[in-house]
Amino acid sequence: MKQPVRVAITGGAGQISYSLLFRIASGEMLGADQPIILHLLEMPVALEALKGVAMEIDDCAYPLLHDIVMSDDLKVTFTDVEYALLVGATPRGPGMERNDLLRINGDIFTKQGKALNDYAKRNVKVLVVGNPANTNAYIAMKSAPDLDAKNFTAMTRLDHNRALSQLAAKTGSRVTDIKKMVVWGNHSATQYPDISHTTVAGKAAKELVDQEWIVNDFIPTVQQRGAAIIKARGKSSAASAGYAALEHVRDWAMGTGDNWVSMAIPSDGSYGIPEGLIYSFPVTTKDGEYSIVQGLEIDEFSRARMDATQKELEQERDAVADLLA
Ligand code: NAX
């Protein structure tokens, strides 16, 4: 049997964690032969609720789960962890400006980045789910100078999965028939779900749907899906977000083969995106490393949308610059 790995999840008592933790403990993220120790972080006020979640996890008697460490202390949570799923964040409250939200979460992710820098394993893989996810990941990355910047990522997998399912429904196909889906940019309403390179059962997706549907239906539906779910359910996406987080880490750790997935990662300058910006790209993964899919032709329509979401990310980055000085 392998040695257990320590997996940190922040916001352990929240609604995303309530679906995510059980699946991680069952082995769905890191494999059926990988024992796990869960490290769960919460705010002091939610520690009692977290205990309740841990009781339920205990009651599943998962064979792979060796221990659960619960704390409101960053050192306890991040010591020796190899995976860190940063889910907890302050939600946008009534009357709160976008910049206020950036700065409140900026403070949280500065501290978490520093603690990862000081206490986590050197190969720790970090996924930021808490919004604004890309910029929170940027802040954590910049606050962890001793860790490889490449190990800081943010989640656009939910957007990617939403795009797959919309296109499958439109073309009457199965999601497994769809290859080479791409989501570019920020996890926000400026994101650009792009089917220019996508195939459906081997045929170019763009030949199966018309441009009018792409512009007026597909792109806005994927961009606004989070808001549509809040409107219908009265709460934000949780189980789908938890599953996307699991898939993001699973694919990063275990490999995608030649299938493309979308991950927000520090740009290496590919496709003209400024270096270091946490921007969603199409990637493949192998042996625990991701690589950006190279050589895609970017037409004018795509470029304008990729630029718009880049601009938003640059504005977010600039709004928190002084926190990192
Ligand atoms: P909840 O409010 O249900 O849970 C968040 C939990 O985090 C709470 O229990 C809270 O006490 C805890 N928390 C807050 N600040 C913390 C801190 N500094 N340290 C430790 N714990 C802390 O939110 P939930 O629905 O679980 O969503 C979590 C985050 O995911 C939100 O920021 C949300 O906006 C974001 N999302 C991101 C998505 C993505 O695709 N990237 C999609 C889903 C989701 O909207």
Side-chain angles (χ1 to χ4, degrees), residues 107-174:
D107 182 53
I108 294 173
F109 285 85
T110 309
K111 290 183 180 134
Q112 294 190 358
K114 283 197 177 115
L116 285 163
N117 189 66
D118 293 346
Y119 307 121
K121 288 264 195 205
R122 300 301 83 184
N123 62 351
V124 62
K125 285 181 162 51
V126 182
L127 166 64
V128 177
V129 176
N131 279 320
N134 298 50
T135 297
N136 288 341
Y138 175 82
I139 292 167
M141 171 184 85
K142 288 289 178 190
S143 306
D146 303 334
L147 296 175
D148 190 338
K150 276 190 356 204
N151 286 355
F152 287 82
T153 68
M155 187 164 96
T156 48
R157 183 60 175 266
L158 178 55
D159 309 297
H160 182 99
N161 289 345
R162 287 167 171 167
L164 286 176
S165 111
Q166 291 299 319
L167 183 62
K170 175 70 178 173
T171 55
S173 56
R174 309 293 310 271

Side-chain angles (χ1 to χ4, degrees), residues 20-34:
L20 175 62
L21 297 179
F22 293 83
R23 305 186 85 147
I24 295 176
S26 77
E28 218 181 315
M29 185 169 83
L30 296 175
D33 60 345
Q34 179 57 67

Side-chain angles (χ1 to χ4, degrees), residues 256-291:
T256 53
D258 59 4
N259 199 22
W260 301 4
V261 294
S262 301
M263 286 171 71
I265 56 175
S267 173
D268 62 357
S270 293
Y271 298 102
I273 306 305
E275 233 172 278
L277 209 61
I278 303 272
Y279 190 96
S280 180
F281 288 95
V283 303
T284 57
T285 68
K286 197 179 170 202
D287 301 329
E289 305 273 336
Y290 55 77
S291 334

Side-chain angles (χ1 to χ4, degrees), residues 195-196 198-200 202-209:
I195 62 163
S196 310
T198 306
T199 59
V200 181
K203 290 194 199 100
K206 282 191 107 173
E207 286 169 18
L208 302 174
V209 296

Side-chain angles (χ1 to χ4, degrees), residues 10-18 41-43 45-46 74 86-91 105 108 112 128-133 136 154-159 162 187 236-238 241-242 244:
T10 71
Q15 53 153 4
I16 292 178
S17 290
Y18 193 68
L41 182 78
E42 254 304 345
M43 306 290 282
V45 63
L74 292 171
L86 309 183
V87 179
T90 301
N105 282 303
I108 294 173
Q112 294 190 358
V128 177
V129 176
N131 279 320
N136 288 341
M155 187 164 96
T156 48
R157 183 60 175 266
L158 178 55
D159 309 297
R162 287 167 171 167
H187 168 69
S236 57
S237 327

